[in-house]
C-alpha cells in the first residue's frame, strides 16, 4: 500500500514520525521528484538474535581485508547507493530522500558503515536510527564481500547498543542469506513499538571483543 506525497512539504521530523508508525518513503526513479509512502502488508526484518554469517564470511571478517569505519562518509555512501549499477538502471533514492537523510544524519538519526581498501570506498550501507530500531535503507559494493562485511559490523554495533529491531523493508535473496525474513504488518508494528521503547545507543566505535562475540553467537553453515 502506498500514497503519494508532496516533497516540498516533507521535513526530517515528519520522516521520523513516519518511520515510528511503520511507513517509509520511496521514489520511482532517481530523477523523479515525487515520493510515495510505503506500508507493505509484509515487512522484511533481520532478527538480531538470528543473524546468520556463513563460515566463509566469518573468515573474511576476521582476516580484515577492509578497513571498516562508521559515519565518516555518509553522503558518499548514499551517492553510491543512489547510482545506477549492474542490473539496476534506476534506484528509488531521489534528491528529496538524499537531502532528508543527510538532515537526519546531522541530527544523529542516520548512520553509515563504510568498507575501505587502500583508501578507496568500496562498499557500505546506511540507515535510520530511532529508539532501539534501525531501518536499513540501502547498501552498495564495488568489491566482493565489501557490503557484507559492512552489514556484519552494523549488526555487531546494534547488538552492542541494545537495539531490538533491524528493518530491511523488503527481503532479497542477498539478505535472506543473513537470516532475513518477512513478517505480517501487524507483527512488524508490535516489534516496532517494542523496539522504539528500548534505550539504545548506536555504537560509533566497535571493539574487537564485541565483533568477535557477535560472530561467535551467529549461526553459520
Amino acid at each position: 500500500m502506498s500514497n503519494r506525497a508532496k516533497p516540498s512539504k516533507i521535513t526530517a521530523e515528519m520522516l521520523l514520525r513516519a518511520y515510528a508508525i511503520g511507513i517509509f518513503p520511496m521514489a520511482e526513479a532517481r530523477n523523479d521528484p515525487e515520493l510515495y509512502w510505503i506500508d507493505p502488508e509484509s515487512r522484511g526484518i533481520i532478527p538480531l538474535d538470528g543473524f546468520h554469517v556463513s563460515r566463509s564470511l566469518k573468515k573474511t571478517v576476521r582476516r580484515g581485508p577492509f578497513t571498516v569505519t562508521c559515519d565518516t562518509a555518509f553522503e558518499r555512501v548514499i551517492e553510491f547507493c543512489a547510482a545506477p549499477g549492474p542490473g539496476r538502471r534506476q534506484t528509488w533514492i531521489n534528491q528529496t530522500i538524499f537531502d532528508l537523510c543527510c538532515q537526519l544524519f546531522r541530527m544523529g538519526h542516520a548512520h553509515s558503515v563504510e568498507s575501505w581498501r587502500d583508501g578507496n570506498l568500496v562498499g557500505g550501507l546506511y540507515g535510520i536510527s530511532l529508539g532501539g530500531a534501525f531501518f536499513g535503507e540501502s547498501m552498495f559494493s564495488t568489491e566482493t564481500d565489501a557490503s557484507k562485511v559492512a552489514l556484519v559490523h552494523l549488526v555487531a554495533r546494534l547488538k552492542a547498543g541494545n537495539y531490538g529491531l533491524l528493518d530491511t523493508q523488503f527481503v532479497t535473496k542477498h539478505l535472506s542469506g543473513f537470516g532475513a525474513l518477512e513478517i505480517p504488518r501487524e507483527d512488524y508494528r508490535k516489534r516496532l513499538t517494542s523496539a522504539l521503547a528500548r534505550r539504545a545507543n548506536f555504537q560509533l566505535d566497535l571493539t574487537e571483543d564485541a565483533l568477535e562475540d557477535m560472530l561467535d553467537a551467529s549461526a553459520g553453515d
Side-chain angles (χ1 to χ4, degrees), residues 53-106:
V53 184
S54 67
R55 291 180 183 176
S56 61
L57 184 56
K58 286 182 180 181
K59 290 180 180 179
T60 299
V61 172
R62 286 168 172 147
R63 191 172 72 249
F66 306 109
T67 298
V68 180
T69 58
C70 184
D71 286 1
T72 66
F74 185 85
E75 290 193 14
R76 289 184 62 193
V77 168
I78 300 186
E79 288 170 354
F80 271 106
C81 290
R88 184 185 68 187
R89 297 179 58 187
Q90 291 285 359
T91 71
W92 56 270
I93 304 170
N94 66 3
Q95 191 61 43
T96 300
I97 291 175
F98 183 96
D99 292 340
L100 287 169
C101 286
C102 289
Q103 290 180 45
L104 291 178
F105 174 69
R106 292 190 291 271

Side-chain angles (χ1 to χ4, degrees), residues 19-61:
Y19 279 102
I21 62 173
I23 62 177
F24 58 90
M26 296 184 75
E28 289 191 346
R30 179 72 175 94
N31 296 320
D32 184 353
E34 294 188 324
L35 295 180
Y36 293 85
W37 293 116
I38 310 298
D39 184 18
E41 292 185 4
S42 297
R43 193 66 164 254
I45 66 167
I46 295 179
L48 293 173
D49 57 358
F51 187 58
H52 183 281
V53 184
S54 67
R55 291 180 183 176
S56 61
L57 184 56
K58 286 182 180 181
K59 290 180 180 179
T60 299
V61 172

Side-chain angles (χ1 to χ4, degrees), residues 167-217:
D167 174 4
T168 67
Q169 299 176 348
F170 304 105
V171 174
T172 63
K173 183 178 179 181
H174 174 72
L175 292 175
S176 64
F178 290 95
L181 51 87
E182 284 188 342
I183 59 175
R185 180 190 294 150
E186 290 306 312
D187 187 8
Y188 171 79
R189 287 176 175 170
K190 291 177 182 177
R191 296 187 187 216
L192 175 60
T193 298
S194 176
L196 293 176
R198 295 171 75 110
R199 301 188 65 176
N201 180 31
F202 190 87
Q203 304 292 295
L204 296 178
D205 297 313
L206 182 67
T207 67
E208 290 187 9
D209 287 344
L211 178 61
E212 192 60 36
D213 286 347
M214 191 279 294
L215 291 173
D216 287 341

Side-chain angles (χ1 to χ4, degrees), residues 127-143:
I128 310 302
S129 176
L130 188 61
F134 191 88
F135 307 89
E137 295 292 293
S138 188
M139 61 193 335
F140 82 96
S141 182
T142 61
E143 288 197 16

